[in-house]
Amino acid sequence: MMMAAVKLGSLPPAALGGVTVTKKCERSSGGVRVVGECGSGGNGFPSFLPKQVEKIKDPFARNLARRIKRLPVQIECSDSFIMSSCVQPLIQRDANPVVLLHCFDSSCLEWRRAYPLLEESGLEAWAIDVLGWGFSDLGRLPPCNVASKRYHLYQLWNSYIKRPVVLVGPSLGAAVAIDFAVNYPEAVKKLVLINPSVYAEGTGNLAKLPRVVAYAGVSLLKTFPLRLYANLLAFNGISLSRSLDWTNVGRLHCHMPWWKDATVNFMVSGGYNVVSQIKQVKQKTLLICGENDRIVSNQLAMRLLFELPKARMQRVPDSGHLPHVEKPRRVVKLIADFAQSN
């Protein structure tokens, strides 16, 4: 598997210590030198992506997949580095960057339709794969519990971004964002929470399952019929052909060799329980809610609106659980206006 270092501005020298660079590509964009892992698979896709990426038809997903890179990120209590997948901005801006998280068991490809629009709006955007999901190199599997996910995100921020960000979290990604903002307030300027799923008390009884049962359940989670059903719930009346293709996009990371172990690890760890942290959030927060969300009740969004100290809400008509996929222009305008406001 090809390893590489990616540089935007500066790369921590220590990060190169445990990384073997077998291939680099360089280009200049807006005065910023970018050194990183090139797409060397079929059709310019990075070689570390599962071969099933070739079957995806969505041009936005294919284009964003070609931009996925891996950055070395130090893991807790170790000198080792995880090659961590993300989409990195081409140009560094003076304004606060926007960092895009994703839903439970998803990847940065969730931002395939919104990411180009964020760049067009002049924002510096990072689409980051949360530890244990996405396309990182987890051959030596680290813990994938909440604390590890939080620390990994902090280390990536501290190594490459180094400025307060507008942190965007959809669905369970909202819980990831709240947990991060409360624990590392210096790293987060503002929060954007999209159809937030923040009131579940972790993984509940799933954390108590015997390992063999947990692995059976995770195997079911990967299946195409279950993922297709989830897509039909998540989106507001898309065609069957598009739903089939978007199902392939949504489960692409499930073909990573470590995915099953990482998912079980997260599940038995107890998952996210951020209910007690909500009132500790100090940052200004924008809630974005699809009017036709069939997965997270709008009543829970209203509850969150009143419990967050500095929050306001915007609704997206004719949209389900993932408005940043269904209505990217509307969502990007909301994010951009909020990010650029005082």
Side-chain angles (χ1 to χ4, degrees):
M1 184 173 293
M2 181 175 66
M3 300 291 189
V6 182
K7 181 173 180 181
L8 177 62
S10 61
L11 179 70
L16 299 177
V19 178
T20 301
V21 180
T22 59
K23 185 176 182 181
K24 295 181 180 179
C25 63
E26 299 187 16
R27 67 179 181 274
S28 178
S29 178
V32 178
R33 180 168 172 266
V34 181
V35 181
E37 198 165 17
C38 294
S40 61
N43 290 318
F45 296 116
S47 60
F48 55 77
L49 291 183
K51 62 182 180 181
Q52 288 84 356
V53 68
E54 298 281 358
K55 298 180 181 179
I56 292 172
K57 299 176 182 178
D58 185 335
F60 297 99
R62 293 175 68 87
N63 287 339
L64 196 62
R66 293 186 180 100
R67 291 202 36 196
I68 297 175
K69 296 183 178 181
R70 283 174 168 173
L71 303 177
V73 175
Q74 189 175 15
I75 56 178
E76 191 168 11
C77 301
S78 172
D79 292 330
S80 300
F81 292 81
I82 293 174
M83 296 302 292
S84 304
S85 51
C86 67
V87 178
Q88 188 181 24
L90 298 177
I91 299 175
Q92 197 169 32
R93 309 282 184 180
D94 292 332
N96 298 100
V98 175
V99 171
L100 308 167
L101 305 177
H102 54 71
C103 298
F104 167 75
D105 193 23
S106 185
S107 77
C108 58
L109 289 179
E110 197 175 293
W111 290 96
R112 57 193 176 272
R113 303 187 74 201
Y115 192 91
L117 299 174
L118 286 165
E119 288 190 318
E120 287 178 13
S121 69
L123 293 172
E124 176 187 333
W126 296 70
I128 293 174
D129 283 335
V130 176
L131 179 69
W133 297 311
F135 306 102
S136 298
D137 182 2
L138 302 183
R140 296 181 180 179
L141 188 71
C144 292
N145 54 35
V146 169
S148 296
K149 291 177 188 291
R150 179 198 311 134
Y151 186 77
H152 174 264
L153 179 57
Y154 173 77
Q155 287 291 80
L156 192 152
W157 172 83
N158 192 46
S159 297
Y160 301 99
I161 304 175
K162 302 180 182 180
R163 292 164 290 151
V165 304
V166 178
L167 187 59
V168 184
S171 194
L172 186 71
V176 180
I178 287 174
D179 175 75
F180 186 78
V182 169
N183 283 278
Y184 297 108
E186 72 277 13
V188 182
K189 178 73 172 177
K190 298 178 181 179
L191 285 173
V192 178
L193 309 179
I194 302 174
N195 287 330
S197 176
V198 298
Y199 288 109
E201 297 183 357
T203 54
N205 291 329
L206 294 176
K208 303 175 183 179
L209 291 175
R211 286 265 173 175
V212 63
V213 178
Y215 271 94
V218 167
S219 296
L220 179 64
L221 182 63
K222 180 181 178 179
T223 60
F224 190 90
L226 186 61
R227 293 274 174 164
L228 177 60
Y229 176 70
N231 258 264
L232 294 173
L233 280 180
F235 296 110
N236 184 43
I238 63 173
S239 67
L240 179 60
S241 61
R242 174 168 285 187
S243 188
L244 292 170
D245 190 46
W246 284 5
T247 298
N248 284 327
V249 176
R251 69 192 290 266
L252 182 65
H253 68 285
C254 299
H255 298 288
M256 298 299 288
W258 46 259
W259 172 81
K260 188 179 295 186
D261 293 330
T263 304
V264 169
N265 189 295
F266 172 73
M267 186 169 68
V268 301
S269 75
Y272 281 91
N273 185 350
V274 300
V275 175
S276 64
Q277 295 177 305
I278 291 171
K279 293 184 180 180
Q280 300 176 46
V281 173
K282 305 300 183 185
Q283 295 85 351
K284 291 182 180 179
T285 304
L286 173 65
L287 304 180
I288 299 177
C289 298
E291 286 190 347
N292 300 319
D293 188 357
R294 292 180 288 177
I295 294 178
V296 176
S297 167
N298 276 273
Q299 292 180 343
L300 292 178
M302 290 300 299
R303 174 183 169 183
L304 184 60
L305 175 65
F306 288 109
E307 290 185 357
L308 284 168
K310 301 176 182 178
R312 60 187 179 89
M313 180 186 290
Q314 292 286 343
R315 298 187 182 276
V316 181
D318 300 318
S319 177
H321 190 58
L322 302 176
H324 50 298
V325 181
E326 283 189 280
K327 303 291 182 181
R329 291 193 178 277
R330 173 62 174 157
V331 170
V332 165
K333 187 178 189 312
L334 290 173
I335 293 174
D337 289 349
F338 182 64
Q340 295 164 354
S341 65
N342 295 325

